[in-house]
């Protein structure tokens, strides 16, 4: 006896853009769950050794 395949159980394959978008969304949600907030990768690292008058003159309470 041969089984009939159910056409509704097959998932459709989306485009590459949909795949990448879903992967990035899942990655972002995992990052927020892990760290409690989204992380910024675009921020430039500021050297502590470089002269910074504003930081040096700042009054700490």
């Amino acid at each position: 006896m041969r089984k009939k395949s159910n056409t509704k159980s097959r998932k459709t394959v989306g485009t590459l853009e949909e795949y990448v978008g879903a992967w990035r969304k899942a990655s972002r949600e995992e990052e927020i769950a892990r760290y409690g907030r989204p992380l910024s990768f675009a921020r430039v690292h500021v050297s502590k050794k470089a002269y910074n008058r504003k930081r040096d003159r700042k009054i700490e309470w």
Side-chain angles (χ1 to χ4, degrees):
M1 194 169 181
R2 191 171 172 187
K3 284 187 174 181
K4 246 184 168 178
S5 65
N6 189 356
T7 57
K8 289 185 180 181
S9 66
R10 286 192 224 154
K11 293 182 180 179
T12 58
V13 177
T15 63
L16 180 63
E17 293 153 356
E18 290 173 349
Y19 173 76
V20 171
W23 186 84
R24 289 182 66 186
K25 182 178 179 184
S27 174
R28 189 76 166 166
E29 289 173 356
E30 178 187 343
E31 176 183 293
I32 292 170
R34 182 179 293 173
Y35 298 108
R37 61 186 174 85
L39 300 178
S40 174
F41 294 102
R43 186 173 55 206
V44 178
H45 176 75
V46 179
S47 174
K48 292 180 182 176
K49 294 181 180 180
Y51 176 72
N52 185 343
R53 181 183 172 132
K54 185 173 184 179
R55 185 191 65 219
D56 294 345
R57 294 176 57 95
K58 186 175 182 182
I59 300 171
E60 295 187 24
W61 295 94

